[in-house]
């Protein structure tokens, strides 16, 4: 069998583990090496625990990433795996108890558009507001409408530490604002009334107590 085909078929089975960047790099390897790499990556990439509201660690303000190095790239890979497995379309490092300014997003249906934002800076580009129903992996099971600017510019570093600048609209605009809030210790439930937020808090605390009691 053509090694490339073997690689491709493995990629299909393990698509949760690799973004397009890793796939391109892997294509240069022999099939044997690729199989070995796949196994190595599997054991080296644990799914991270996602903190849940009202955990006070979610209120931590994340620090800028000082250098985009292998440690940060490993964090990015682990965050993608965790986000896809959840499943979710965005994850901030704060949610996995790492208080550095790293966000991963993929709003595609087939996990084909992974986006990495390191040290993101947001600028609203319009006064127009959009209301969209939001959920959050740190507030599981609850969905509420939140109003945000519908178009934003984001400046950030990519997974190689290269700066980029992008205008985001629609779902991506909502998602990047939601995730940047996480890096500032803010949750979407903060946009709700005290009454609604307290109700969600009490329900989640009850669930957490039940989980703790086995
Ligand atoms: Zn969230």
């Amino acid at each position: 069998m053509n090694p490339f085909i073997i690689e491709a078929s493995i990629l299909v089975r393990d698509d949760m583990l690799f973004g397009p960047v890793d796939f391109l790099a892997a294509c240069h390897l022999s099939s044997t090496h690729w199989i070995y790499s796949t196994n190595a990556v599997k054991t080296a990439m644990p799914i991270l625990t996602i903190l849940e509201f009202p955990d006070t660690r979610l209120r931590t303000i994340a620090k800028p990433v000082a250098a985009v190095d292998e440690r940060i790239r490993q964090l990015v890979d682990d965050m993608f795996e965790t986000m896809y497995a959840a499943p979710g379309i965005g994850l901030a490092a704060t949610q996995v108890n790492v208080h550095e300014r790293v966000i991963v997003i993929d709003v595609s249906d087939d996990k084909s558009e992974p986006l990495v934002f390191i040290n993101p800076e947001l600028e609203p580009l319009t006064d127009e507001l959009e209301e969209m129903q939001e959920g959050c992996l740190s507030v599981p099971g609850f969905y509420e409408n939140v109003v945000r600017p519908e178009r934003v510019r984001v400046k950030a570093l990519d997974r190689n530490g290269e700066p980029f600048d992008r205008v985001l609209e629609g779902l991506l605009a909502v998602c990047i604002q939601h995730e940047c809030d996480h890096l500032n210790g803010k949750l979407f439930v903060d946009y709700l009334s005290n009454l609604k937020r307290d109700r969600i808090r009490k329900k989640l605390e009850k669930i957490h107590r039940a989980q703790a009691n086995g």
Side-chain angles (χ1 to χ4, degrees):
M1 194 189 284
N2 181 322
F4 185 83
I5 301 299
I6 293 170
E7 289 158 14
S9 65
I10 290 168
L11 181 82
V12 170
R13 286 205 302 272
D14 288 339
D15 66 339
M16 304 296 280
L17 297 176
F18 299 97
V21 174
D22 292 311
F23 177 45
L24 287 176
C27 286
H28 298 298
L29 304 173
S30 72
S31 58
T32 310
H33 190 175
W34 174 231
I35 291 163
Y36 173 77
S37 300
T38 303
N39 291 334
V41 170
K42 263 185 179 171
T43 53
M45 290 176 62
I47 293 181
L48 306 170
T49 301
I50 298 175
L51 302 179
E52 292 188 4
F53 177 68
D55 194 312
T56 54
R57 290 172 290 182
L58 288 167
R59 299 308 188 177
T60 312
I61 295 175
K63 293 190 171 66
V65 170
V68 182
D69 52 16
E70 278 311 310
R71 181 182 67 87
I72 293 296
R73 277 186 279 277
Q74 184 65 57
L75 172 64
V76 164
D77 290 344
D78 290 350
M79 285 172 62
F80 270 120
E81 192 194 11
T82 305
M83 180 188 79
Y84 287 137
I89 58 169
L91 190 68
T94 309
Q95 293 176 275
V96 293
N97 201 28
V98 175
H99 302 288
E100 295 179 77
R101 304 186 84 81
V102 178
I103 288 169
V104 299
I105 290 176
D106 190 340
V107 299
S108 70
D109 291 333
D110 56 358
K111 308 177 187 100
S112 61
E113 296 165 24
L115 300 172
V116 178
F117 301 89
I118 297 168
N119 297 343
E121 290 174 32
L122 275 187
E123 177 196 349
L125 291 179
T126 169
D127 294 332
E128 299 286 318
L129 299 176
E130 189 172 44
E131 186 175 58
M132 207 180 273
Q133 194 176 56
E134 296 187 23
C136 179
L137 295 176
S138 295
V139 191
F142 295 89
Y143 301 88
E144 297 286 348
N145 286 339
V146 177
V147 174
R148 301 181 187 270
E150 67 175 11
R151 211 153 61 93
V152 296
R153 180 189 302 279
V154 58
K155 293 179 183 174
L157 304 176
D158 66 15
R159 63 173 287 136
N160 296 314
E162 296 295 328
F164 68 97
D165 186 328
R166 225 180 129 166
V167 173
L168 301 177
E169 298 177 314
L171 181 57
L172 270 177
V174 170
C175 199
I176 191 70
Q177 291 177 82
H178 176 117
E179 303 307 336
C180 282
D181 275 353
H182 276 302
L183 300 182
N184 295 324
K186 190 167 182 176
L187 296 165
F188 88 96
V189 293
D190 299 345
Y191 293 91
L192 310 178
S193 67
N194 289 341
L195 186 71
K196 265 191 182 171
R197 188 169 54 255
D198 278 352
R199 202 180 294 151
I200 292 172
R201 179 177 56 76
K202 282 176 186 156
K203 283 183 184 165
L204 281 174
E205 281 174 341
K206 193 174 169 187
I207 291 167
H208 295 156
R209 274 197 302 275
Q211 286 168 345
N213 293 332

